[in-house]
Amino acid sequence: MYQKILVAIDDSETSRCALAEALHIARTSKAKLYVVHVTDQTLLNMHHHVFSHMADADNNAVASLTAAGNKLLDAALQSATGIDAEALLLHTAERRVSETIDDKARELGVDLIIVGRHGRRGLATLLLGSVAEQLAKIADASVLLVRKH
């Protein structure tokens, strides 16, 4: 049924559940799987004045985010044996993570986006919304929200 699937991962337990679900669906439907991770530099930009007095602090922070993202993606690809899978590290500094993921999904023409749903409640989710909830609202593709299981 699905030909192209995108799964967005971070370093959370629900993300690992989403990856497991994506691997299962990709295997059973013989779909191409795109595993993406977004490095969000928004906090670095918001607090640039704090980091600006430290030599190369911004560059070191970006390099650390990139290295951690690549490590996550490498581990995810190791579990994708027998699947046509590709890892993509995306960067955002001025847009929401959900918008960055959606843009890439549209560019790739994916049929399904899979993302972990953290299940958080409270003021932060009320004001900002979660990446998963935002994706469900803006994406053209079907979105599967995976809870911890």
Side-chain angles (χ1 to χ4, degrees):
M1 175 178 187
Y2 298 110
Q3 294 179 7
K4 295 180 181 180
I5 300 169
L6 182 148
V7 60
I9 63 169
D10 58 21
D11 194 21
S12 66
E13 190 173 343
T14 56
S15 175
R16 287 185 282 281
C17 293
L19 177 61
E21 191 73 21
L23 292 169
H24 173 72
I25 294 171
R27 276 193 184 97
T28 58
S29 61
K30 300 188 184 338
K32 168 83 177 187
L33 179 63
Y34 297 97
V35 182
V36 302
H37 174 74
V38 181
T39 62
D40 186 0
Q41 299 171 26
T42 305
L43 290 176
L44 297 178
N45 290 338
M46 287 179 7
H47 300 290
H48 185 269
H49 64 282
V50 174
F51 294 118
S52 63
H53 71 281
M54 295 183 264
D56 292 325
D58 285 342
N59 289 334
N60 288 336
V62 171
S64 294
L65 288 173
T66 300
N70 282 326
K71 184 177 177 181
L72 277 172
L73 291 170
D74 290 345
L77 283 184
Q78 288 179 0
S79 61
T81 55
I83 296 173
D84 182 10
E86 183 178 336
L88 301 169
L89 183 63
L90 309 178
H91 305 278
T92 188
E94 298 175 6
R95 302 190 72 206
R96 290 181 170 196
V97 170
S98 57
E99 294 169 332
T100 303
I101 294 168
D102 182 52
D103 287 348
K104 183 53 77 172
R106 289 173 197 260
E107 177 187 320
L108 297 170
V110 302
D111 309 299
L112 178 64
I113 300 170
I114 301 174
V115 63
R117 171 78 170 89
H118 292 279
R120 292 189 184 113
R121 301 277 186 259
L123 187 58
T125 300
L126 177 65
L127 294 176
L128 301 173
S130 72
V131 170
E133 289 169 340
Q134 291 166 11
L135 267 172
K137 290 177 185 174
I138 66 174
D140 282 342
S142 295
V143 178
L144 175 59
L145 305 178
V146 179
R147 292 189 181 275
K148 184 173 70 171
H149 58 294

